[in-house]
Amino acid sequence: MAVTDEAIEKIKGMIVSGALRPGDRLPKESELAAALGLSRNSLREAVRALSLMRILDVRQGDGTYVTSLDPQLLLEALSFVVDFHRDDTVLEFLAVRRILEPAATAMAAARISERQLDALAVRLDRLGDAPSVGELVASDLEFHRGIVVAAGNSVLCSLLDGLSGPTTRARIWRGLTQQDAVARTLREHRAILAALRDRDAEAARSWATVHIASVEQWLRSTL
């Protein structure tokens, strides 16, 4: 194991064991290095790596702290990674989204409030019947995120936030090249919303699956 990897594992072990908790300040570099049997250079590299992963927060002039370890914060790394996808892997991201998002939509059917439903409806009404592709894609992201937030699972929400990035390009491309894409997307959004208003989890799941699968099917035919 590389020295830096060993240092990362030792700090991770302290956090997992509870020796360091969210918000705790790490001991001074010299003390921590001695306690873990590490060189200060390897410890420094490990801290730098863990700060990039949003596990540690290095505050200049103050010290190094364990972050909140909130799922949304930790899963920001997923968004960073998926931004480097190749065109031929977009389908794989869409396939994962097709598994997770319908499940989140079904969960939301039992939890979403009337106020949240009304906000989704207002957003769709404001969009009108002939939005631009850019407006449609922005609305699509907001629409689905509003539903996933209503599902009440922060980990699921963070995962889907991370997966939305690579599929945005596909949605824009679809909107520019497929004649009925805008109208079809609006119809599917309204069908999902109607199922949520009816508190029909299975209908909501089915419409969400159809919605994502239509993008996936179109993209598969063009690659």
Side-chain angles (χ1 to χ4, degrees):
M1 182 183 293
V3 176
T4 301
D5 291 340
E6 181 184 1
I8 290 172
E9 286 299 316
K10 287 185 175 182
I11 297 173
K12 175 185 170 184
M14 293 180 69
I15 296 172
V16 172
S17 69
L20 286 172
R21 297 181 179 278
D24 281 356
R25 181 178 177 176
L26 270 63
K28 291 181 179 179
E29 184 182 89
S30 57
E31 296 174 2
L32 185 58
L36 296 178
L38 300 167
S39 71
R40 293 178 70 170
N41 280 341
S42 61
L43 177 61
R44 205 169 290 133
E45 289 299 319
V47 167
R48 187 177 291 114
L50 290 169
S51 67
L52 289 173
M53 290 186 277
R54 311 305 298 274
I55 293 170
L56 297 179
D57 178 21
V58 180
R59 305 175 189 173
Q60 294 298 326
D62 186 12
T64 299
Y65 293 79
V66 180
T67 67
S68 65
L69 302 180
D70 181 79
Q72 186 169 1
L73 181 68
L74 296 179
L75 287 168
E76 282 182 9
L78 175 63
S79 299
F80 182 80
V81 170
V82 298
D83 279 342
F84 291 97
H85 76 284
R86 303 185 311 271
D87 287 345
D88 60 350
T89 62
V90 173
L91 282 170
E92 295 181 7
F93 288 116
L94 279 169
V96 175
R97 187 176 160 223
R98 182 158 48 87
I99 294 168
L100 296 178
E101 194 161 301
T105 305
M107 290 168 61
R111 295 169 175 263
I112 194 166
S113 68
E114 290 297 322
R115 180 182 57 80
Q116 289 171 312
L117 287 167
D118 290 343
L120 291 174
V122 167
R123 187 173 294 138
L124 287 178
D125 289 341
R126 284 177 179 169
L127 197 59
D129 295 327
S132 69
V133 173
E135 291 171 335
L136 179 66
V137 172
S139 174
D140 186 59
L141 288 167
E142 292 178 4
F143 180 80
H144 292 290
R145 192 175 196 284
I147 293 171
V148 174
V149 167
N153 187 308
S154 61
V155 174
L156 187 55
C157 185
S158 297
L159 282 170
L160 284 166
D161 274 349
L163 290 169
S164 292
T167 60
T168 301
R169 183 177 175 186
R171 286 197 294 270
I172 292 174
W173 188 16
R174 178 179 184 234
L176 290 170
T177 60
Q178 190 176 25
Q179 188 173 4
D180 66 341
V182 172
R184 182 172 180 175
T185 297
L186 293 173
R187 287 196 304 270
E188 289 166 353
H189 279 186
R190 294 198 177 279
I192 291 169
L193 181 58
L196 291 173
R197 280 204 184 276
D198 290 340
R199 306 295 173 178
D200 189 334
E202 288 312 307
R205 184 197 306 274
S206 297
W207 275 112
T209 302
V210 166
H211 181 57
I212 299 166
S214 66
V215 178
E216 188 178 355
Q217 182 181 27
W218 170 82
L219 186 58
R220 194 181 299 279
S221 70
T222 64
L223 292 179

